[in-house]
Amino acid sequence: MHDHFRRFAAYNAWANARLYDAATALKDTERKKEVKAYFRSLHGTLNHLLVADRIWLYRLTGEGEAPARLDTILYENFGELRAAREAEDQRLIAYVAGLDPASFNTVIQYGNTRGEAKELPLGVILAHLFNHQTHHRGQASHILRQLGVTEPPSLDLLYFALPAA
């Protein structure tokens, strides 16, 4: 499990970097354009991904910030948002790398964003965290296409795992 989650943490950073690279082709007004996405825009979706990771890492480590709302816009400026995303990806990589392999079955107690007490094994939480990222990156990729990026980058895990050509 440890190798599996280390791979997912590295893949997560790789996929986020590719997504942000593609988003740089757009003007700020395009990234913030309402496209009827769950988090309104590409910018809103990217902020949500950062918000969710910060909430989960706060729950797991007790460090950092945990925004109260899932639709919080942490950064209006795209460059600042990207820098924060890169820092959070490195924080997640370091967290996973520092885990004891036996800890994946440890039950973690936390409160959700509605204040309800919950508990799940760490391995399930990490699986959710990485799955959640993939889910919303898929939405972001679709938004990129709506905004005129004709060929959004492939974010498939297979392309990350294949040796460089």
Side-chain angles (χ1 to χ4, degrees):
M1 289 300 286
H2 202 200
D3 287 343
H4 175 76
F5 286 122
R6 281 194 300 240
R7 179 178 296 112
F8 267 102
Y11 161 72
N12 193 63
W14 174 87
N16 284 334
R18 290 175 62 88
L19 185 61
Y20 273 82
D21 285 348
T24 62
L26 301 170
K27 296 176 186 167
D28 195 53
T29 55
E30 293 171 312
R31 286 189 296 266
K32 292 178 180 172
K33 180 181 178 184
E34 166 74 54
V35 292
K36 305 217 183 297
Y38 192 76
F39 293 97
R40 303 184 61 168
S41 64
L42 178 61
H43 194 81
T45 301
L46 296 175
N47 263 280
H48 169 71
L49 284 168
L50 180 60
V51 164
D53 280 2
R54 285 187 173 178
I55 289 170
W56 277 112
L57 280 171
Y58 178 79
R59 289 171 181 164
L60 296 172
T61 68
E63 298 173 2
E65 61 180 281
R69 294 179 46 96
L70 294 173
D71 61 352
T72 300
I73 299 297
L74 296 170
Y75 298 94
E76 285 291 341
N77 177 278
F78 181 73
E80 291 173 2
L81 177 62
R82 183 176 192 158
R85 173 75 268 165
E86 290 169 356
E88 203 70 15
D89 285 340
Q90 291 309 307
R91 187 172 167 230
L92 185 54
I93 287 168
Y95 172 75
V96 171
L99 290 173
D100 180 314
S103 67
F104 295 109
N105 291 321
T106 302
V107 174
I108 306 294
Q109 297 177 343
Y110 64 94
N112 68 14
T113 56
R114 291 182 294 280
E116 302 164 341
K118 302 290 182 183
E119 60 180 49
L120 286 168
L122 176 59
V124 173
I125 289 171
L126 289 174
H128 164 74
L129 188 151
F130 293 122
N131 187 59
H132 178 260
Q133 281 273 341
T134 299
H135 168 71
H136 286 297
R137 278 194 301 264
Q139 292 174 341
S141 185
H142 178 73
I143 294 168
L144 283 169
R145 184 159 287 211
Q146 286 181 21
L147 296 174
V149 176
T150 55
E151 196 60 43
S154 175
L155 303 177
D156 288 342
L157 176 65
L158 295 176
Y159 291 107
F160 169 75
L162 287 169

